[in-house]
Amino acid sequence: MIKIVLPDGSEKEYEKGVSAAIIAKDISEGLYRKALGALVNGELYDLNRPIENDSTIKIITDKDVEAPVIFRHTIAHIMAQAVVRLYGDVKLAIGPVIENGFYYDFDLEDKISEDDLEKIEKEMKKIIKEDLPIERFEISKEEAKELFKDQPYKLELLDDIEDDSVTYYKQGEFIDLCRGPHLPSTGKIKHIKLLSVSGAYWRGNEKNKMLQRIYGTAFAKKDQLEEYLKMLEEAKKRDHRKIGPKLDLFMFENELAPAMPFFLPRGAKIINGLLDFSRELHKKYGYEEVLTPLIMNIKLWHQSGHWDHYQENMYFTEKDETQYAVKPMNCPGHILIYKSKVYSYKDLPIRLSEFGKVHRYERSGVVHGLFRVRSFTQDDAHIYCTKDQIEDEIIKVMDFTNELYSAFGFEYEADLSTMPEDHMGDEKTWEVATEALRKALEKSGISYKINEGDGAFYGPKIDFHIRDSLGRKWQCATIQLDFQMPERFDIHYVDNNNELQRPVMIHRAIYGSIERFFGILIENFAGAFPTWLSPEQVAVIPVSDKYIDAAKELYEKLDSEGLRVKLDDSNATVGYKIRNAQMLKIPYMIVIGEKEIETKKYNVRTRDGNTVEDLDLNDFIKTIKEEIKNRSLKLSY
């Protein structure tokens, strides 16, 4: 017999090998009918998988956060089964669950297009209607190699598995190598939608074959699926790759500078607004701004460890028989600045910041608008401190992060990423560093989860994920604790006993990539930036050529007050000028004609279509300047 502990703390005894399905049925028929899987000692199980030892158990229904992992994984298999039925000779790769959905990679001769998704989805619905039982089998690795002898990608995966036994799943005629878990049958979840198809290199390596990847999603309830699809439609409308060029914010020249953005005058104003705000906060939190070279000798990158761990993502050049690297990160340059002086413990912490331009080679298959580029600017900073100062410094960075993100209306959460397989330094040092970050997170009261093995190669890190107006999450800020680079560069400070000690180095960025953050803002605000960030804050529109001089006078008055103003003195009609200003998302428009000249009162239109009549100009200026000063997210009128 084994002991089973339920979520309410009650205990029951069952025969060894009992399944979660039997336990659920024992609790109630209603729970059994709703059950999708189980959480056994913290691990997700199929309902019918035998439980061999004393365990804590939670039955998973569609209301639990773990449920989508189970049913989306199952739907990925159903999609793979449908593709095999429709296309015959298909080599199966992988089909993981991702946020809000899943994908599966296929190798087949036929080219799958967006138009084919409907027929694949139709076949999936047939499989769902068949309600095929899904069975789990555990076999030896050698048996699995025989079973999947015609599936080269599965054989490659089997070679990487260290265990002697593996599991596969069967539903009808379809089998797949998989750890699971899965639903008990194909008929449990019905609300599915295939979303897109794209190319993807096997294992993300461009040296490998390009496979066909189909993305899809599934939800437990129809209204949840409809709500998600509605959000995707809204996201398409907000796509920064369309809005950006349309609003004259940025452009790409893919032949001459692939994946390297050019910012046009309107976009540059927004970028500068972001930098000005960040500089203001950096000053408040005690940072000193520095500038470092873009290109430095490769000796530096050997010493920093980037040569061993990052060279595939770097650009290189040679001059006078000397090799140089274009910097992918700012940290080695900041270390050289620190090392150029001798610091006392009284000087620490030293906080150096830089809006550093970096270049990283990203594969053409992964570049994506401003979200994944090869040339970008980081709001980078490095803090050099004693071990006793770590916690306070991390908390200050979190306060900085909160103040900056709050200005954009973003809520956020954090990941604590631990030691990766490819890392520098010993495990004991990593444990100390990781514990310091954990303590700071808990002291700050920030919600976080552990992201095992995803730290930087030189230290653990905290990544912040902001949530935009559509509920999407974006990873932006990062804090990385580093005991390795101070060691590699042999940097010191003099302690109170006049002895040399090694400082701790904290890497941090709040925007992350300025370009990426800009892209997020474009989509978050759908191009309608708050007034303080808007490229032009007021448009002055004369009714006809007769009023151009008066419009210029008004333009000069507003400009002298520090407002960003656009004067539209074109020959177009008033209606066209207003529509153009609205298309450019300019917050406020003042139309000037005979009445305005005589009364010195103005009608102000907003980009939302509201009109406020007979405003005194000085009152208007005062109100807008206050709105800008407070960095308000809403228009004043």
Side-chain angles (χ1 to χ4, degrees):
M1 302 296 284
I2 58 172
K3 184 171 68 176
I4 298 296
V5 181
L6 301 174
D8 63 1
S10 61
E11 298 178 4
K12 294 195 174 195
E13 283 198 342
Y14 293 93
E15 286 189 15
K16 185 177 180 180
V18 67
S19 68
I22 291 171
I23 296 170
K25 199 167 190 177
D26 188 32
I27 295 170
S28 78
E29 278 291 336
L31 182 62
Y32 172 69
R33 286 194 300 271
K34 293 176 183 175
L36 302 178
L39 199 62
V40 179
N41 294 330
E43 182 185 350
L44 283 173
Y45 268 45
D46 310 302
L47 276 177
N48 295 318
R49 179 177 171 181
I51 301 170
E52 304 291 348
N53 301 299
D54 292 349
S55 303
T56 60
I57 185 170
K58 173 187 173 186
I59 304 299
I60 303 298
T61 70
D62 63 23
K63 292 179 180 177
D64 292 301
V65 293
E66 298 89 352
V69 174
I70 301 172
F71 65 70
R72 286 174 182 155
H73 198 174
T74 302
I75 299 296
H77 276 216
I78 290 172
M79 178 174 74
Q81 185 176 10
V83 169
V84 172
R85 282 187 179 183
L86 292 169
Y87 294 94
D89 185 20
V90 178
K91 306 304 180 194
L92 301 169
I94 56 171
V97 173
I98 55 175
E99 188 173 8
N100 295 319
F102 59 87
Y103 68 78
Y104 209 113
D105 290 344
F106 304 99
D107 183 359
L108 68 163
E109 284 188 21
D110 298 78
K111 175 72 175 172
I112 298 175
S113 70
E114 302 280 341
D115 294 336
D116 295 320
L117 297 183
E118 190 176 340
K119 72 176 181 183
I120 296 171
E121 197 175 298
K122 188 176 179 182
E123 189 64 33
M124 289 172 68
K125 287 177 179 174
K126 277 189 194 175
I127 295 167
I128 290 169
K129 194 172 182 181
E130 289 169 21
D131 198 17
L132 302 169
I134 299 176
E135 300 172 277
R136 177 182 184 272
F137 297 91
E138 190 169 333
I139 57 175
S140 72
K141 201 156 77 166
E142 291 310 309
E143 287 175 307
K145 285 182 177 180
E146 178 61 27
L147 188 63
F148 292 98
K149 63 185 178 183
D150 297 323
Q151 292 289 340
Y153 301 104
K154 301 298 180 184
L155 292 175
E156 189 174 328
L157 292 172
L158 280 166
D159 285 336
D160 291 342
I161 295 173
E162 294 180 0
D163 293 342
D164 292 330
S165 65
V166 296
T167 55
Y168 75 90
Y169 283 79
K170 182 177 187 295
Q171 54 199 53
E173 80 287 358
F174 180 79
I175 61 168
D176 201 356
L177 180 71
C178 186
R179 285 179 300 186
H182 287 283
L183 297 172
S185 73
T186 61
K188 272 277 189 180
I189 297 291
K190 302 176 174 63
H191 308 297
I192 62 169
K193 183 68 179 175
L194 297 188
L195 301 171
S196 62
V197 61
S198 66
Y201 292 110
W202 168 236
R203 293 193 151 180
N205 188 338
E206 61 187 348
K207 294 176 184 176
N208 291 335
K209 187 170 184 180
M210 175 75 80
L211 307 178
Q212 298 186 67
R213 175 174 293 177
I214 301 177
Y215 287 94
T217 192
F219 286 86
K221 293 183 170 57
K222 186 180 179 182
D223 61 340
Q224 292 172 332
L225 175 61
E226 288 173 348
E227 187 179 334
Y228 180 69
L229 295 177
K230 195 182 294 181
M231 185 277 289
L232 290 182
E233 281 303 309
E234 181 60 30
K236 280 183 185 176
K237 295 177 194 172
R238 293 168 178 247
D239 190 333
H240 76 282
R241 294 169 298 175
K242 295 177 182 176
I243 291 178
K246 187 177 176 182
L247 296 182
D248 288 332
L249 301 177
F250 64 85
M251 58 170 265
F252 285 93
E253 188 11 276
N254 290 323
E255 184 182 353
L256 302 176
M260 298 184 184
F262 293 73
F263 290 99
L264 306 176
R266 298 188 84 240
K269 287 173 185 172
I270 297 173
I271 293 287
N272 285 329
L274 294 173
L275 297 182
D276 289 345
F277 178 38
S278 182
R279 277 194 172 98
E280 184 183 307
L281 291 179
H282 275 90
K283 183 178 179 182
K284 175 179 174 179
Y285 283 92
Y287 291 81
E288 291 189 288
E289 188 171 344
V290 297
L291 297 168
T292 59
L294 189 64
I295 299 172
M296 289 178 273
N297 194 300
I298 61 164
K299 290 178 185 176
L300 177 69
W301 307 101
H302 278 283
Q303 190 174 1
S304 69
H306 288 87
W307 182 265
D308 297 325
H309 298 269
Y310 206 75
Q311 65 170 296
E312 288 185 4
N313 296 89
M314 295 171 68
Y315 290 94
F316 299 94
T317 186
E318 188 174 323
K319 206 73 175 173
D320 298 329
E321 298 183 353
T322 302
Q323 272 194 299
Y324 296 88
V326 182
K327 68 176 179 180
M329 297 176 188
N330 300 296
C331 26
H334 289 193
I335 290 176
L336 294 182
I337 290 175
Y338 179 91
K339 197 170 181 178
S340 67
K341 290 178 67 176
V342 177
Y343 290 103
S344 157
Y345 71 98
K346 293 179 181 178
D347 299 317
L348 269 53
I350 302 290
R351 306 182 189 99
L352 302 179
S353 69
E354 178 176 12
F355 296 106
K357 178 71 79 175
V358 297
H359 291 74
R360 299 178 185 177
Y361 175 71
E362 300 282 4
R363 295 185 304 274
S364 57
V366 300
V367 294
H368 179 83
L370 296 179
F371 292 161
R372 198 76 176 263
V373 290
R374 293 173 176 166
S375 167
F376 59 96
T377 306
Q378 290 180 305
D379 60 330
D380 217 351
H382 296 91
I383 301 164
Y384 302 89
C385 64
T386 68
K387 289 180 181 177
D388 292 340
Q389 293 170 331
I390 290 174
E391 196 174 309
D392 283 346
E393 287 303 306
I394 297 293
I395 289 169
K396 283 175 186 171
V397 174
M398 292 177 183
D399 291 342
F400 187 142
T401 302
N402 183 63
E403 191 166 349
L404 185 134
Y405 285 170
S406 296
F408 302 98
F410 289 136
E411 294 180 353
Y412 60 90
E413 55 195 43
D415 285 349
L416 173 55
S417 298
T418 60
M419 185 178 72
E421 206 170 299
D422 179 21
H423 66 272
M424 297 194 308
D426 62 272
E427 291 189 17
K428 180 66 179 173
T429 302
W430 274 82
E431 285 174 17
V432 172
T434 305
E435 183 63 12
L437 293 182
R438 186 188 63 77
K439 280 183 178 177
L441 277 167
E442 292 186 352
K443 197 166 183 179
S444 292
I446 294 172
S447 171
Y448 75 96
K449 63 183 178 66
I450 302 293
N451 198 357
E452 295 286 355
D454 201 39
F457 65 83
Y458 46 75
K461 61 177 181 171
I462 298 171
D463 289 325
F464 292 85
H465 301 264
I466 60 175
R467 191 182 294 273
D468 70 10
S469 58
L470 296 182
R472 299 173 298 177
K473 291 180 184 176
W474 305 92
Q475 192 272 309
C476 291
T478 187
I479 306 172
Q480 300 169 356
L481 201 53
D482 186 355
F483 290 92
Q484 312 303 329
M485 288 226 188
E487 188 79 32
R488 280 183 165 251
F489 282 88
D490 194 27
I491 61 174
H492 304 93
Y493 67 91
V494 180
D495 69 9
N496 58 351
N497 296 317
N498 210 31
E499 294 178 354
L500 293 179
Q501 299 294 340
R502 192 83 69 201
V504 178
M505 184 175 178
I506 300 171
H507 307 245
R508 57 105 286 211
I510 312 297
Y511 287 136
S513 153
I514 307 289
E515 287 76 0
R516 185 167 179 273
F517 196 82
F518 185 21
I520 292 168
L521 290 181
I522 291 171
E523 298 200 1
N524 182 66
F525 295 117
F529 293 95
T531 304
W532 71 274
L533 261 187
S534 191
E536 301 92 12
Q537 293 157 334
V538 185
V540 175
I541 301 171
V543 171
S544 66
D545 289 353
K546 180 180 174 182
Y547 304 105
I548 285 178
D549 288 343
K552 284 181 178 176
E553 190 179 323
L554 177 58
Y555 165 87
E556 288 167 2
K557 168 67 175 170
L558 295 171
D559 182 63
S560 70
E561 293 286 347
L563 300 179
R564 293 192 290 272
V565 195
K566 175 182 174 64
L567 172 63
D568 191 341
D569 56 0
S570 66
N571 292 324
T573 64
V574 174
Y576 179 85
K577 291 177 183 180
I578 291 171
R579 281 195 301 276
N580 187 53
Q582 286 177 320
M583 289 288 288
L584 289 174
K585 313 285 188 182
I586 299 173
Y588 299 103
M589 290 149 266
I590 299 177
V591 179
I592 185 166
E594 191 69 40
K595 179 189 168 191
E596 286 73 24
I597 292 171
E598 287 179 2
T599 65
K600 299 296 181 184
K601 298 285 186 181
Y602 299 89
N603 293 348
V604 175
R605 295 170 180 262
T606 71
R607 64 184 169 208
D608 300 328
N610 299 326
T611 301
V612 183
E613 297 182 350
D614 297 330
L615 275 176
D616 177 79
L617 183 61
N618 289 329
D619 289 343
F620 171 74
I621 291 171
K622 182 180 177 183
T623 300
I624 300 310
K625 286 175 77 171
E626 193 68 21
E627 179 186 328
I628 293 166
K629 180 184 174 185
N630 294 332
R631 293 193 174 91
S632 174
L633 295 174
K634 294 182 178 179
L635 300 186
S636 298
Y637 297 104

